[in-house]
Amino acid sequence: MILAADDEPEIARAGNLAAQWAAVRFTVGIHPHAAGKFATNPADAAKATGAVIDSQPLTRGVGEIGLDYHYDFAPRAVQQEVFRQQIRLAQQRQLPIVIHTREAEEDTFRILGEEHAHEVGGVFHCFTGDRAMAQRVLDLGFHVSLAGIVTFPRASELKEVAKMVPLDRLLIETDSPFLAPVPHRGKRNEPANVVYVAETVAALRGVDVATIGEAARANFARLFQPGYD
Ligand SMILES: [Zn+2]
């Protein structure tokens, strides 16, 4: 479960969820949409994320962090610095990062390179890039996570990405409550719908859905070390 470090009620609910569901693990970060809150001192974004890591021992990653130039809810320079500070935090804590990037490919890879983010690794979540971008992700040692968009009939390039990512770098997700996959498009998305992502990826690769499920489970366990693998 992905937590927003600047959302106190959400952080409080995480404790309740963990009490009810022993297997849950968390990532936490300041999303690029919220980076503007830290415009005067971007280092405070890493401090806020670090405070949640300190208070929630089930945290296994830093994210979502990254850049979103589609919405541009925060100035780009601020987004970049908030991203950078949180990569450094992830390195200090030895945690993988979960990257949100939209219409910001060049700056994302530049910052990941400058900050040596491959040392902690992680995942490009809800990947929507093309095959060339997927190759850059793989070359950097990161994982590619596919969401319900891959089930959309017109997502032809993403279907090609689903075929090319090595099985040991592939993750699947829903990005709930958005982006419900076929056959539930237009409704609220649910984590259970991840099975439709798995089925679509399996069909594209010509393998059994269990193969995709097992690979995603193993990759998730290796990356986030949830403790139940
Ligand atoms: Zn995202």
Side-chain angles (χ1 to χ4, degrees):
M1 168 151 283
I2 294 161
L3 303 174
D6 56 316
D7 186 338
E8 278 182 40
E10 182 168 278
I11 302 303
R13 287 200 302 274
N16 298 338
L17 186 67
Q20 292 171 57
W21 183 25
V24 75
R25 296 295 180 271
F26 303 104
T27 72
V28 62
I30 298 295
H31 194 280
H33 289 345
K37 294 181 184 176
F38 303 91
T40 51
N41 191 359
D44 284 348
K47 275 188 197 153
T49 297
V52 178
I53 295 170
D54 290 337
S55 70
Q56 180 44 265
L58 296 175
T59 304
R60 291 291 185 275
V62 174
E64 295 179 28
I65 59 173
L67 305 173
D68 194 311
Y69 295 173
H70 177 78
Y71 287 108
D72 273 331
F73 285 152
R76 292 180 181 183
V78 174
Q79 291 189 44
Q80 290 174 22
E81 196 54 31
V82 164
F83 184 29
R84 219 181 259 285
Q85 294 287 339
Q86 291 184 100
I87 295 169
R88 292 174 189 172
L89 174 75
Q91 287 164 326
Q92 288 161 13
R93 304 302 183 98
Q94 290 289 293
L95 291 170
I97 58 178
V98 178
I99 298 167
H100 171 108
T101 179
R102 190 162 180 198
E103 296 173 28
E105 180 175 342
E106 290 311 318
D107 282 348
T108 298
F109 282 101
R110 179 176 55 77
I111 290 169
L112 289 172
E114 287 170 359
E115 297 297 331
H116 307 284
H118 63 274
E119 291 170 5
V120 287
V123 54
F124 279 63
H125 109 94
C126 196
F127 185 84
T128 54
D130 59 11
R131 278 168 283 182
M133 181 173 169
Q135 191 59 53
R136 294 179 82 176
V137 172
L138 296 169
D139 289 347
L140 202 62
F142 276 70
H143 296 68
V144 173
S145 182
L146 298 172
I149 299 168
V150 76
T151 70
F152 298 176
R154 275 185 281 183
S156 52
E157 180 63 21
L158 201 57
K159 289 178 197 292
E160 294 302 319
V161 170
K163 292 186 220 171
M164 72 169 270
V165 176
L167 216 46
D168 65 353
R169 296 287 197 87
L170 181 68
L171 291 170
I172 51 177
E173 64 176 289
T174 57
D175 213 5
S176 305
F178 310 110
L179 298 168
V182 174
H184 294 296
R185 279 191 81 172
K187 297 181 202 154
R188 190 181 80 160
N189 203 358
E190 303 281 350
N193 288 335
V194 77
V195 70
Y196 299 108
V197 179
E199 285 174 358
T200 298
V201 173
L204 287 164
R205 297 173 73 106
V207 299
D208 195 86
V209 67
T211 302
I212 299 301
E214 175 52 28
R217 189 206 64 78
N219 296 340
F220 180 86
R222 180 166 20 80
L223 192 56
F224 295 109
Q225 302 180 350
Y228 60 83
D229 48 324

